Amino acid sequence: MEKEVIVQKFGGSSVANIERMKNVARRVVVYKNKHTDVVVVVSALGDTTDELESMALQLNADPPDREMDMLLSTGEQISCALLAIAIKELGYEAISFTGRQVGIKTDKIHTKARIMTIDGKRINKAFKDDKIVIVAGYQGVTSNDDITTLGRGGSDLTAVALAKALRAKVCEIYTDVDGIYTADPRIVKEARKIKNITFDEMLEMASLGAQVIQARSIEVAKRFNIPLHVRSSFSKEEGTMVVKETEKMESIAVRGVTCNKNEAKITICSVPDKPGIAAKIFGEISKQGINVDTIVQNVPHDRLSDISFTVPKVDLNKAIKATQTIGNKIGAGEVLEDRNIARVSLVGSGMRSHSGIAAKMFKTLADEKINIGMISTSEISVSCIIGQDLADKAVKALHKTFKLETI
Ligand code: ASP
Ligand code: MG
C-alpha cells in the first residue's frame, strides 16, 4: 500500500527561536509513522526576511532583484537545516533541502517568481529511506540556475505546490493563530473559530486584510483542490479547514467580517469629464505596479468631476506622485490624500444566493451613525470604506447583526 503523504508548513513565528524550533520538531515526529510520510516546509526564523531586506536597503535604495533573491532565500535555508538538526536529536531521520535541491523550477521573475514544475525525485528517494523531509520555503530556481523567491509569504505556496506534486491528502499551515475567525478576536470578543471555509471565501478574506495565508497559495490550492488546514503550532486543537464549497456551506450568507486599515484614499479633483481620462489616470498608476482597489467617480459639475480611489498605504507616495503627474497633463485640479480610512467587509459565498446583505450592512452602519465613504462589492463580498477610528465599532456591530457568534 502506498503511504499517505502530509505536508506541514510552519511560519516564521512558529520557528522564531530555539524553544519553538524544538516544539516544531516534537510535533513533526508524531506524524511520522509506518503509514505516513511527512514533508515539512519552513519559513525563515521570526523576522529574518525583514531584517535581511532592511540590510540590503541600507546598502542600496534599489537593490537588484536577483541579489535580493540570493539574500532572502538564505533565511529559509537556515531554518530547514536547524529543524533537521532538531529532529535528529529526537532520534528520527530527517534531511533538509533547498528549493533548488528538490527541483522547484520557477520562471525568471525575481522576487515574485511562479513555480513551473516540481521534480519530486529527491523527496521520494528520502521517503524510501524513511526520512522526514524538510524543505526551505519561498524559493526555487530558474532554468538558468538562478535562485528566485516566490513573493512575501511564499512558503505557503511552496507547501501547497509540494502537496500537489506529492499528492498529499492535506496541507497543514501552522501559524500563531489557531484558525480563521468570524472577525478579529482582538476586536470582537464573541468572534468564533470557523470550522470550514471555502477557498473563495478564504481568498476574499486574504485580499480584504485577514492575512493568514498567502493569497496566491490559496488560488493554487483551489485549482488543484488541496484541502488546507490552518492551525496553531502552539496547541493541539483543530484549526480551520479551507475546502471546496459544498451545498451546506452555501446556506450561510455571511461567513466573516474583515477590516483592513492598510489602505489610503486618493482623490483627484476637477477632472475633465470626457472619454479616456480614467484610462489615462489608472494606466499611469498601474505602470508603477500599484494595485488600485475601490474607485468612485462623482457626478460631474460643469464638465468636471472628482475621482477617488484606494491604494495600499505602502504605495501611497508613489501613487500620489503618479496621480499628480497625470493630473498636470490632463489639466485636473488638486490631488488629496486620506490615510484615516478603513475597509470593513462582509464575506460569504452564500451571498450568491441570499439577497439583502448589502442593505442590511448599510442599515447597521447607519444605525451606528457611521458614514460610508465608498462601497464596492464582489460576488461574495460587500465592502464599505469608512473612517478608521470607527472601524472597530463597525466590525462589532456587523458581527452582531449577522449573528456570527452563532455559526
Ligand atoms: N520568509 C518569507 C517572508 O517572510 C516567506 C514566508 O514567510 O513565507 O515573506
Ligand atoms: Mg516570514
Side-chain angles (χ1 to χ4, degrees):
M1 194 184 85
E2 214 173 271
K3 277 195 194 173
E4 245 169 26
V5 176
I6 158 166
V7 175
Q8 305 186 308
K9 180 258 171 179
F10 290 88
S13 57
S14 304
V15 291
N17 55 40
I18 296 292
E19 266 325 299
R20 290 187 182 183
M21 192 65 91
K22 284 185 184 166
N23 168 52
V24 170
R26 283 193 296 267
R27 288 198 78 120
V28 166
V29 299
V30 170
Y31 286 86
K32 176 73 192 155
N33 56 42
K34 284 207 289 292
H35 309 292
T36 314
D37 278 322
V38 182
V39 177
V40 184
V41 175
V42 275
S43 291
L45 274 68
D47 296 327
T48 305
T49 312
D50 290 330
E51 285 157 18
L52 291 171
E53 187 178 57
S54 131
M55 280 165 77
L57 290 172
Q58 287 173 53
L59 293 166
N60 182 339
D62 186 19
D65 287 346
R66 180 191 180 279
E67 303 311 326
M68 286 310 280
D69 281 352
M70 278 297 275
L71 176 69
L72 299 187
S73 61
T74 61
E76 272 68 12
Q77 188 171 341
I78 293 172
S79 38
C80 73
L82 285 175
L83 184 58
I85 291 168
I87 291 175
K88 286 214 170 193
E89 171 65 15
L90 299 178
Y92 287 77
E93 283 304 314
I95 181 165
S96 67
F97 294 116
T98 62
R100 177 172 182 261
Q101 286 176 312
V102 291
I104 300 183
K105 290 268 158 50
T106 72
D107 62 15
K108 294 180 180 148
I109 317 287
H110 282 288
T111 76
K112 37 182 169 295
R114 283 180 182 270
I115 297 178
M116 315 298 282
T117 55
I118 296 185
D119 158 13
K121 259 193 236 133
R122 223 153 158 194
I123 296 180
N124 284 318
K125 165 81 176 51
F127 282 166
K128 282 215 182 77
D129 298 338
D130 219 22
K131 290 182 175 161
I132 295 171
V133 174
I134 328 276
V135 178
Y138 174 56
Q139 55 184 272
V141 63
T142 67
S143 54
N144 295 344
D145 207 22
D146 280 320
I147 290 176
T148 47
T149 61
L150 308 175
R152 294 306 302 268
S155 301
D156 291 342
L157 190 59
T158 305
V160 171
L162 282 171
K164 150 89 177 33
L166 301 167
R167 298 202 196 90
K169 65 167 186 178
V170 63
C171 178
E172 295 187 324
I173 306 281
Y174 285 87
T175 174
D176 49 7
V177 296
D178 61 357
I180 312 296
Y181 277 73
T182 51
D184 185 339
R186 287 168 303 187
I187 302 177
V188 185
K189 64 175 189 314
E190 296 82 12
R192 292 266 288 257
K193 183 162 60 181
I194 301 170
K195 259 200 174 141
N196 293 296
I197 188 168
T198 71
F199 291 119
D200 286 332
E201 288 168 338
M202 194 61 232
L203 258 174
E204 198 77 29
M205 304 236 318
S207 71
L208 293 171
Q211 238 77 357
V212 184
I213 322 181
Q214 189 211 32
R216 259 173 71 196
S217 66
I218 306 168
E219 279 168 26
V220 176
K222 179 187 171 193
R223 178 149 21 109
F224 299 108
N225 193 20
I226 297 158
L228 306 175
H229 185 177
V230 181
R231 59 193 306 188
S232 164
S233 56
F234 308 115
S235 97
K236 293 260 147 42
E237 254 179 73
E238 303 264 303
T240 299
M241 290 300 301
V242 189
V243 292
K244 203 165 117 185
E245 185 163 332
T246 62
E247 256 170 58
K248 203 169 138 228
M249 293 172 86
E250 253 205 79
S251 67
I252 293 173
V254 177
R255 183 89 48 201
V257 39
T258 64
C259 174
N260 183 357
K261 296 176 183 168
N262 300 320
E263 285 176 273
K265 181 169 88 176
I266 296 180
T267 302
I268 173 163
C269 304
S270 308
V271 178
D273 183 37
K274 58 182 188 207
I277 291 290
K280 278 199 185 124
I281 297 174
F282 295 108
E284 185 65 33
I285 291 169
S286 83
K287 244 197 268 160
Q288 310 285 326
I290 298 168
N291 256 330
V292 168
D293 210 306
T294 308
I295 302 175
V296 170
Q297 176 167 355
N298 293 338
V299 184
H301 285 286
D302 305 324
R303 311 199 123 253
L304 295 174
S305 64
D306 297 345
I307 298 180
S308 296
F309 54 94
T310 62
V311 295
K313 254 185 204 148
V314 287
D315 292 329
L316 179 62
N317 291 341
K318 244 189 348 186
I320 290 276
K321 266 201 202 122
T323 313
Q324 276 163 344
T325 309
I326 193 75
N328 289 340
K329 272 193 207 148
I330 59 177
E334 274 186 291
V335 175
L336 310 171
E337 64 172 63
D338 183 359
R339 292 167 169 270
N340 183 32
I341 62 162
R343 174 185 302 275
V344 174
S345 314
L346 298 176
V347 178
S349 44
M351 278 185 206
R352 292 197 190 101
S353 50
H354 288 71
S355 56
I357 304 295
K360 206 162 159 187
M361 178 179 195
F362 305 152
K363 168 88 170 54
T364 306
L365 296 179
D367 289 347
E368 297 290 326
K369 309 220 165 2
I370 295 171
N371 187 43
I372 303 171
M374 298 162 114
I375 297 167
S376 68
T377 62
S378 81
E379 211 189 351
I380 62 164
S381 72
V382 190
S383 300
C384 294
I385 303 287
I386 61 173
Q388 201 171 104
D389 31 335
L390 298 171
D392 291 3
K393 190 174 170 197
V395 171
K396 280 186 199 138
L398 290 166
H399 199 272
K400 200 160 174 202
T401 302
F402 288 92
K403 301 195 171 54
L404 299 184
E405 70 283 357
T406 64
I407 67 170

